[in-house]
Structure formats: structure tokens, C-alpha cells
């Protein structure tokens, strides 16, 4: 903000849309270490608290005619349960608690990041990579535990001509190990891009001539980001279900 004000005094406009993603200590101004409590720590904790508040405390007084909080919790529960059952199959229902937790955490982290002056934790690859790697390791371990060596059939396209199968196997192996990369970048990249664009429009709001246009653009982008916050959680979760289906049924 000080940089923007200094630029405005000189007749120019200076703003840094990526400054909102800087990790800072929550207490003091020292360096960020492994055990430093930062703004990321705070908003990750708030996302966990929000999930617990909705799914545990919000449904503690179950009623035949549900209240608003219970209705939202039941809607989320039914939505994710149907997703798991439809995409990964009924034998994947045992993994529903994990997938439900994953979906709710990402949804709340995304929505909390839309609060003014908050921090969007899912815009950081350090967060999304951990989520993606946990999915990757879970799927891989489940695949070998459930199928043994037959899990390697995921990489052998038996329906393809014999001459092409070795080439396709290499492609399948590469694409499998690229999964956590694409899984994490998709979420962090989309969230980061949207917030950066909003910051850019907010910077132009300081210019009187374009201020009304900027306000309209910010409003439109904010509405779009609300939609993106849900869609990206949905995409991350449904890809998890697809990967889980591959682990449970590896044959092509």
C-alpha cells in the first residue's frame, strides 16, 4: 500500500498484485522458519475450524426437519458421496471420509481466501503439492495392496496393437507420475490467477477516470472467483475419484 501511495504521489500508479501471496510471520517481523507461525498457518487452521464447525457442531443436534447449517452439511455430504459412488464405484465408498475431508477443506480454504485482508492458502504450491502427493501416495499404495502386481496393468494398454504397447506403456508411466504436478498446479494456478487479476483492477480503481470501470470489473471478477472457488475444489476431488478408480480397477 505504501508503494502504491508513493507511486500515486509521483503521478504514476505502482502496485504489486503478487504481494498478497507473501508468507509473513504472524508475530514479529523475523525470518520465516520451519516452526514459525505465519499467515498461512492461521488461515489453514481457520479452514479446519470452519469444516469442524459445519460438519461436527452444525450437525450435533440432528433434527427431522433440518436447520440451515444441518441442511448445508447434509447437502455437501450427499454431493460428495454421490460423486465417489458414481465416479470411482461402490467399492470406493470406504474412502469417502478421506475424499469428503479433502473436498471440504479445499472449499473452505478457497472461500476464506475471498474475505478481504485474508490469505488464500490454496494459492500456494506448498499446500496444494502436499494435498496432491497425499492423493498420489494413497492411490498408489491402495493399487498395489488391492491388486498386487496386477496394478501394473494400468500402464499396459492390452487393447492396443502389440507393437504400440511398449510406447504407450512409457507414456502411461510418465503421465502417472506427472499426476501430482498437474493436480497441484491446476488448483494453485487458478486460485492465484483470479486473486491477482482482482488486485490489478483494485489498483486501477485509484485512477478517477477508470474507477467506475474498475469497480464493475472487480465485482464481476469477485463473482467469478466465488464460482471458481467451488469448481476448483470439485475438480480436485473428482480427479481424486478418477485416480482412485484406476487404483481399484487398473486394467484397461
Amino acid at each position: 500500500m505504501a508503494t502504491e501511495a508513493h507511486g500515486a504521489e509521483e503521478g504514476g500508479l505502482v502496485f504489486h498484485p503478487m504481494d498478497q501471496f507473501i508468507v509473513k510471520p504472524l508475530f514479529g517481523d523475523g525470518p520465516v522458519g520451519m516452526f514459525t507461525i505465519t499467515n498461512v498457518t492461521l488461515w489453514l487452521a481457520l479452514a479446519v475450524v470452519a469444516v469442524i464447525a459445519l460438519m461436527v457442531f452444525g450437525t450435533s443436534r440432528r433434527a427431522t426437519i433440518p436447520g440451515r447449517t444441518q441442511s448445508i452439511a447434509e447437502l455437501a455430504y450427499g454431493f460428495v458421496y454421490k460423486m465417489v459412488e458414481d465416479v470411482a464405484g461402490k467399492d470406493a465408498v470406504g474412502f469417502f471420509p478421506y475424499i469428503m475431508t479433502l473436498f471440504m477443506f479445499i472449499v473452505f480454504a478457497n472461500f476464506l481466501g475471498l474475505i478481504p485482508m485474508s490469505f488464500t492458502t490454496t494459492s500456494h504450491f506448498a499446500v496444494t503439492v502436499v494435498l496432491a502427493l497425499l492423493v498420489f501416495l494413497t492411490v498408489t499404495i491402495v493399487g498395489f495392496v488391492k491388486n498386487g502386481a496386477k496394478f501394473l496393468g494400468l500402464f499396459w494398454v492390452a487393447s492396443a496393437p502389440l507393437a504400440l504397447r511398449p510406447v504407450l506403456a512409457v507414456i502411461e508411466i510418465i503421465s502417472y507420475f506427472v499426476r501430482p504436478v498437474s493436480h497441484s498446479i491446476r488448483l494453485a494456478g487458478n486460485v492465484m490467477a483470479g486473486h491477482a487479476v482482482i488486485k490489478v483492477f483494485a489498483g486501477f480503481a485509484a485512477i478517477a477516470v477508470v474507477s467506475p470501470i474498475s469497480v464493475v470489473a472487480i465485482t464481476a471478477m469477485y463473482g467469478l472467483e466465488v464460482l471458481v472457488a467451488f469448481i476448483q475444489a470439485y475438480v480436485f476431488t473428482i480427479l481424486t475419484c478418477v485416480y482412485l478408480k484406476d487404483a481399484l480397477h487398473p486394467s484397461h
Side-chain angles (χ1 to χ4, degrees), residues 38-54:
T38 65
N39 48 355
V40 181
T41 310
L42 172 64
W43 289 97
L44 282 173
L46 288 176
V48 173
V49 170
V51 174
I52 294 173
L54 175 64

Side-chain angles (χ1 to χ4, degrees), residues 109-157:
N110 288 350
F111 279 126
L112 286 173
L114 293 172
I115 299 174
M117 306 303 293
S118 68
F119 188 90
T120 314
T121 54
T122 45
S123 66
H124 271 248
F125 295 115
V127 175
T128 60
V129 165
V130 170
L131 296 176
L133 282 175
L134 286 175
V135 171
F136 177 78
L137 291 174
T138 300
V139 166
T140 304
I141 292 170
V142 168
F144 279 110
V145 170
K146 293 280 289 185
N147 303 284
K150 291 182 180 179
F151 180 63
L152 298 175
L154 179 66
F155 310 111
W156 188 254
V157 187

